[in-house]
């Protein structure tokens, strides 16, 4: 499968308040036309917000990116046309309305997708920092957080052990 046939995330701009309608309309069109292999996912990212009013806690959801809908698709004339001509869509995000795909880093930071990192470390393992401010430093893993994909390690800096937090992909084992 060539890279141009790989679905990427694009951002469609919508009229305010039309996000869910646009998402539903795109999904309906995809289903009616049997385009599930081209337009693979449509989302309006939401987040929980806690409001305190009259000493009562109220949890509600709000759109993380108002007026935007995230669409995972293979960019073809047909997929572009389906999204672009959906009622409520004003265009794609990109220069001159030329759609620009989100980078893998943007996709992950927006929480659209999580990449799983193969992790074969245990507490007490010796590691080396591969990149970042502490690149080249050596340390020992003291804690592992799989949910956040981070480790805590004691790193020897200037003759002292310092506790630091590192991403899974920032470390390598010392053999």
């Amino acid at each position: 499968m060539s890279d141009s046939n790989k679905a990427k995330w694009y951002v469609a701009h919508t009229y305010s308040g039309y996000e869910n309608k646009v998402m539903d309309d795109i999904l309906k069109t995809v289903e009616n036309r049997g385009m599930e292999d081209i337009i693979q996912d449509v989302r309006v990212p939401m987040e929980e917000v806690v409001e305190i009013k009259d000493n009562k806690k109220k949890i509600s959801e709000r759109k993380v990116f108002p007026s935007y809908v995230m669409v995972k698709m293979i960019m073809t004339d047909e997929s572009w046309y389906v999204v672009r001509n959906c009622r409520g869509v004003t265009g794609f995000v990109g220069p001159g309305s030329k759609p620009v795909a989100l980078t893998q880093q943007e996709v992950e930071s927006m929480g659209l997708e999580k990449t799983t990192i193969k992790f074969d470390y245990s507490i007490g393992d010796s590691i080396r920092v591969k990149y970042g401010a502490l690149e080249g430093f050596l340390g020992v893993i003291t804690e592992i957080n799989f949910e956040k994909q981070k480790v805590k390690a004691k790193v020897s800096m200037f003759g002292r052990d310092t506790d630091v937090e590192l991403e899974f992909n920032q470390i390598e084992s010392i053999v």
Side-chain angles (χ1 to χ4, degrees):
M1 187 193 270
S2 75
D3 207 39
S4 63
N5 290 337
K6 196 169 177 279
K8 292 186 167 68
W9 285 96
Y10 294 89
V11 182
H13 189 269
T14 69
Y15 292 123
S16 181
Y18 274 74
E19 302 89 351
N20 290 328
K21 178 147 184 37
V22 164
M23 178 175 66
D24 294 342
D25 288 353
I26 293 171
L27 290 171
K28 215 171 283 164
T29 304
V30 165
E31 193 181 325
N32 291 341
R33 294 189 183 188
M35 294 175 67
E36 289 88 348
D37 54 335
I38 297 171
I39 299 178
Q40 299 175 358
D41 200 352
V42 183
R43 295 207 202 141
V44 176
M46 302 294 277
E47 65 184 352
E48 278 191 354
V49 182
V50 178
E51 295 171 22
I52 297 173
K53 207 174 183 181
D54 302 327
N55 286 335
K56 288 192 180 91
K57 213 177 187 182
K58 183 182 165 227
I59 298 174
S60 59
E61 286 209 323
R62 77 165 183 219
K63 294 172 187 82
V64 180
F65 308 107
S67 301
Y68 293 100
V69 175
M70 312 301 158
V71 184
K72 185 176 186 176
M73 64 185 194
I74 298 168
M75 186 54 74
T76 65
D77 290 344
E78 189 183 11
S79 64
W80 181 90
Y81 182 87
V82 165
V83 175
R84 183 66 190 86
N85 289 294
C86 180
R87 229 184 93 203
V89 172
T90 60
F92 280 99
V93 172
S97 80
K98 182 190 182 298
V100 174
L102 294 172
T103 65
Q104 189 58 40
Q105 196 173 357
E106 289 169 330
V107 167
E108 287 172 28
S109 68
M110 292 169 135
L112 293 171
E113 287 178 4
K114 288 247 187 276
T115 50
T116 50
I117 296 170
K118 192 169 150 278
F119 193 79
D120 294 335
Y121 300 97
S122 303
I123 290 174
D125 285 359
S126 296
I127 51 107
R128 176 183 293 114
V129 182
K130 291 196 290 189
Y131 67 86
L134 301 174
E135 182 177 341
F137 278 96
L138 306 178
V140 176
I141 296 175
T142 57
E143 201 176 299
I144 301 171
N145 185 331
F146 286 99
E147 202 173 290
K148 290 184 179 170
Q149 296 196 342
K150 291 186 178 200
V151 297
K152 283 198 177 147
K154 282 206 180 300
V155 173
S156 182
M157 295 187 343
F158 315 115
R160 299 174 70 163
D161 281 348
T162 306
D163 289 319
V164 296
E165 194 173 64
L166 301 162
E167 313 249 338
F168 281 4
N169 59 357
Q170 270 187 286
I171 63 173
E172 61 187 2
S173 60
I174 303 170
V175 183

